[in-house]
Structures are given as C-alpha cells and as structure tokens.
Amino acid sequence: KLTSQYSHAHLITRPLLKVHFVGFHLGEEMNQDRSFRRAVNYAINKKELTSTVLNGLAAPATGPLPPGIMGSATEVPYPYNPDSARALLKRSNYDGSPITYMTNNSTGSVAVAEYLESQLGEYGINLQIDENSESVWIDRLVKGDFEWAKLYFSLDYPAPDNPLSQF
C-alpha cells in the first residue's frame, strides 16, 4: 500500500521469472533414495512457506517453468501431505543422520532455511543450516560441495527453452 505522499502513483507488480528450489546432490547415497526425496517434498508445507516466511511475495513452484511461461504446470507436484511424508520416510533408508543444507546468507534465504529445518524436524529429519557468503555459496555449488543446497534459476527472457536449456 502506498503512503499518502504517493497517492497519485499506481504500484504495478509482476511475477519474477525465477524458480527457487532445494537441490539434492545425487552423489550422496541418502539422496539417491527416491522414497526419501519424495518424503521430504511431501513434508514441506510450501503454501505456508510462501505465504508466511516470504510474506506472500512468492508462490509454490510447480516445476522448472515459472507461472505464465508456455508449458508451465498449474499444480504443485508434491502438495503438503504429512501422511504420505511419514509413510515414505518410514519406507526410506534415512537413519536420522544430520543433513547439511547449504544456503547463502541473505535474510530471505536464511529464513527459508530455518523454516525447512523446523518443518522437517517434525518428521525427525535432522537438517543443519550451513550459511555462506554469496561468493562461497556459488563456489561450493560449482564444485558440488554440498548435500542439499538452496538453488534457483532465473529466466533471461520469457520463453520455455530458456530455463530448460540449463539442464
């Protein structure tokens, strides 16, 4: 909401062409367990995360393409489902060992990491946050030096081939 000083102005907002996600390093044995990865996805309340931690300034990701891009999905592929999360976690090989989540040290990234730590802790998943400066975070991502990491990609232009060509 604009203050009275700017009452003559109109604020126009547009979604960013950016998708944030948790990256699992598949070279790590526990991350190769599909039941474990699916359990983690079902255990995270993405609607609550985006509405509270991110103040409604984001929407749950529906895939690699942001909303509005041709071919983007409309439904979250792993909606919050505690029962599915618990069943899949029980079926997985996860033994309660600590998992390190590497993130940069921006306020928003740390807030998301703390939410993930709390949410996953409810399922007995022991997430430990590893905050890094932007330069160290990028360097470690490039080297593959992480178990889990905050990842994102931004589109340079609004076309589906832009983010998909990165894979």
Side-chain angles (χ1 to χ4, degrees):
K1 186 166 183 161
L2 299 173
T3 62
S4 60
Q5 177 183 358
Y6 299 101
S7 62
H8 64 283
H10 296 283
L11 180 62
I12 300 171
T13 61
R14 297 281 185 259
L16 290 175
L17 297 176
K18 185 183 272 191
V19 176
H20 288 256
F21 56 98
V22 174
F24 298 96
H25 191 300
L26 295 179
E28 300 287 329
E29 188 174 333
M30 87 184 130
N31 292 332
Q32 295 172 13
D33 184 338
R34 184 170 184 258
S35 292
F36 178 64
R37 294 192 315 268
R38 291 179 65 218
V40 168
N41 269 288
Y42 282 123
I44 300 169
N45 188 337
K46 298 162 196 74
K47 286 183 181 178
E48 180 182 74
L49 169 64
T50 56
S51 67
T52 60
V53 177
L54 300 174
N55 298 314
L57 297 174
T62 58
L65 299 176
I69 300 297
M70 182 176 64
S72 63
T74 57
E75 298 296 320
V76 175
Y78 291 94
Y80 180 56
N81 188 325
D83 293 334
S84 291
R86 284 186 182 86
L88 286 162
L89 192 57
K90 192 174 187 175
R91 198 166 68 204
S92 78
N93 294 322
Y94 179 64
D95 62 3
S97 298
I99 299 166
T100 303
Y101 175 77
M102 185 185 65
T103 185
N104 62 14
N105 59 1
S106 73
T107 303
S109 295
V110 171
V112 168
E114 290 171 347
Y115 178 86
L116 295 173
E117 178 184 43
S118 173
Q119 182 96 49
L120 295 173
E122 294 176 17
Y123 297 85
I125 299 173
N126 183 3
L127 194 66
Q128 297 181 340
I129 301 169
D130 180 14
E131 292 179 45
N132 295 271
S133 67
E134 186 84 8
S135 61
V136 170
W137 173 68
I138 290 171
D139 186 57
R140 289 184 59 199
L141 286 174
V142 169
K143 291 177 180 173
D145 181 21
F146 64 91
E147 289 178 311
W148 291 10
K150 171 222 169 160
L151 297 174
Y152 72 90
F153 55 86
S154 298
L155 280 69
D156 299 316
Y157 50 90
D161 66 328
N162 185 229
L164 298 178
S165 66
Q166 297 178 39
F167 300 100

